[in-house]
Amino acid sequence: MDRVGNSFTLAEAEVRNTQEFTLHVSQAETTNGNTSTFDASNNFEGLLVIDITAVTGTTPTANFYFETLDFLSGKYVAIPSAGTIAQQTGVNTLTVPVTNFGEKVRLRWVLGGTTPSFTFSAGFTAKS
């Protein structure tokens, strides 16, 4: 609280809500794929967490892309603030801060190598 002359002004409290999205439950993936689309329109920033718990195959690789649906073209496009998520080759936990992600979001993965298998979960905690 600040005192200004004979008056008092109250500092405004910032109230932020969070919304948690389970993008991908922990399970093995052996082919390219993507999650369903999630409505994150009530939010403006968040944290994407991808937890890779097992990897098999010969020289396996996984590339992850956090995408938004372009309302005009109907195509999914990479969310620039998610940056380039480094190619994964083993067990790892990734945390990716994301802003300006549009209304509809999803996670897409592309696997490489010979008979690759990645077991992972992915969650997105969004804030309004």
Side-chain angles (χ1 to χ4, degrees):
M1 184 165 14
D2 294 331
R3 183 176 167 138
V4 179
N6 292 327
S7 302
F8 291 90
T9 59
L10 296 174
E12 292 185 34
E14 182 178 342
V15 177
R16 299 188 62 188
N17 296 311
T18 60
Q19 190 173 8
E20 296 176 331
F21 299 93
T22 301
L23 301 177
H24 188 273
V25 297
S26 184
Q27 68 183 31
E29 296 291 350
T30 58
T31 60
N32 301 340
N34 56 264
T35 67
S36 55
T37 301
F38 293 85
D39 183 351
S41 59
N42 292 327
N43 305 285
F44 63 89
E45 68 178 355
L47 185 66
L48 171 67
V49 177
I50 303 169
D51 186 28
I52 303 168
T53 56
V55 177
T56 62
T58 304
T59 61
T61 61
N63 290 296
F64 293 97
Y65 305 92
F66 197 47
E67 300 177 321
T68 190
L69 180 62
D70 174 45
F71 75 94
L72 188 58
S73 69
K75 296 177 183 176
Y76 285 92
V77 295
I79 299 170
S81 66
T84 301
I85 300 172
Q87 185 176 76
Q88 300 300 300
T89 58
V91 172
N92 195 10
T93 301
L94 308 163
T95 56
V96 182
V98 186
T99 59
N100 301 321
F101 43 78
E103 292 187 7
K104 310 287 186 191
V105 297
R106 75 174 187 181
L107 181 69
R108 181 171 61 94
W109 57 91
V110 176
L111 305 181
T114 305
T115 62
S117 176
F118 282 78
T119 300
F120 67 94
S121 64
F124 182 57
T125 301
K127 294 182 181 180
S128 62

